[in-house]
Amino acid sequence: KRIDYSLIKASGLVQLTSTTITTNTSNIDFEDVFTSDYDIYKLFLTNVRPDTDQSIYLRFLTTGTTQLSSAEYNMFMTGGYHRYSTGAATAANDDQKDATQFQVTPWGSAESDTSEGGLNGEITFLNPRQSTYKFITSDTIYFYTGGDYIVKDNSGVYIKNTTVMSGINIQPSSSNIASGILTLYGVKK
């Protein structure tokens, strides 16, 4: 028997864009990346390190660099941390309602120390172009408080806005992102 390979669809990720941060950057915009070609997108964060210990945030872009900053981000976070100095491990759940952005580091600030690796993880965007609620899932790991804590987080986010989203913005809470790699993929239909 023979297999007709033309009938087999390739599956997987298609890299849409990537940016490597090597000098202080106040925010990163991935403009006009959400198209009708994909329903699911994945953003990989590799050693994203702020210039000072601080939280990292994400907002949708509605057009160009216009950020969705109204109180429409609703999150549920579950995760845990291990504190090296005491050997204590803790699991926790939390939520945020009607926030103005998605806090990618909900359990503390990402470390700025270059020896501690920064923020690493994967964020998935589900149907950001649909005209109903938008959904995000996040799976991250990072150090904070001088490397005394390692934090693992899983978050689910829904956005109550019915506007079609065109892209994303990543920014620290107060100053700059000093280094890291951010790579966005579309998932083949």
Side-chain angles (χ1 to χ4, degrees), residues 3-178:
I3 296 174
D4 184 350
Y5 287 99
S6 67
L7 299 175
I8 300 173
K9 288 187 172 184
S11 62
L13 302 177
V14 176
Q15 184 174 327
L16 304 177
T17 187
S18 183
T19 187
T20 299
I21 307 299
T22 57
T23 59
N24 284 348
T25 302
S26 61
N27 67 72
I28 300 144
D29 288 331
F30 289 109
E31 299 175 43
D32 303 318
V33 291
F34 297 146
T35 68
S36 59
D37 294 337
Y38 308 97
D39 294 330
I40 300 170
Y41 296 82
K42 291 190 173 284
L43 176 66
F44 290 92
L45 307 160
T46 307
N47 296 329
V48 175
R49 188 179 56 77
D51 63 344
T52 62
D53 297 355
Q54 58 190 301
S55 294
I56 305 291
Y57 293 99
L58 180 144
R59 285 184 174 155
F60 272 120
L61 300 176
T62 55
T63 56
T65 59
T66 303
Q67 297 178 21
L68 177 65
S69 58
S70 53
E72 300 186 67
Y73 296 81
N74 296 277
M75 297 156 268
F76 175 78
M77 298 84 73
T78 185
Y81 63 84
H82 178 264
R83 186 170 186 186
Y84 287 104
S85 63
T86 65
T90 301
N93 295 316
D94 201 359
D95 68 334
Q96 292 181 9
K97 183 179 178 195
D98 296 330
T100 59
Q101 57 205 351
F102 165 44
Q103 186 173 346
V104 182
T105 54
W107 305 105
S109 299
E111 283 290 318
S112 59
D113 188 328
T114 57
S115 68
E116 295 174 353
L119 170 67
N120 292 276
E122 174 184 338
I123 300 172
T124 303
F125 305 92
L126 306 167
N127 296 306
R129 293 184 43 79
Q130 70 184 4
S131 58
T132 58
Y133 291 163
K134 302 351 173 238
F135 295 95
I136 302 171
T137 64
S138 174
D139 185 16
T140 59
I141 189 166
Y142 54 95
F143 285 104
Y144 82 105
T145 312
D148 192 27
Y149 292 85
I150 184 168
V151 180
K152 175 72 175 84
D153 169 66
N154 297 90
S155 295
V157 183
Y158 76 92
I159 292 86
K160 297 187 300 184
N161 193 293
T162 57
T163 302
V164 171
M165 301 302 162
S166 65
I168 53 174
N169 167 273
I170 304 283
Q171 59 185 298
S173 56
S174 61
S175 58
N176 293 298
I177 293 176

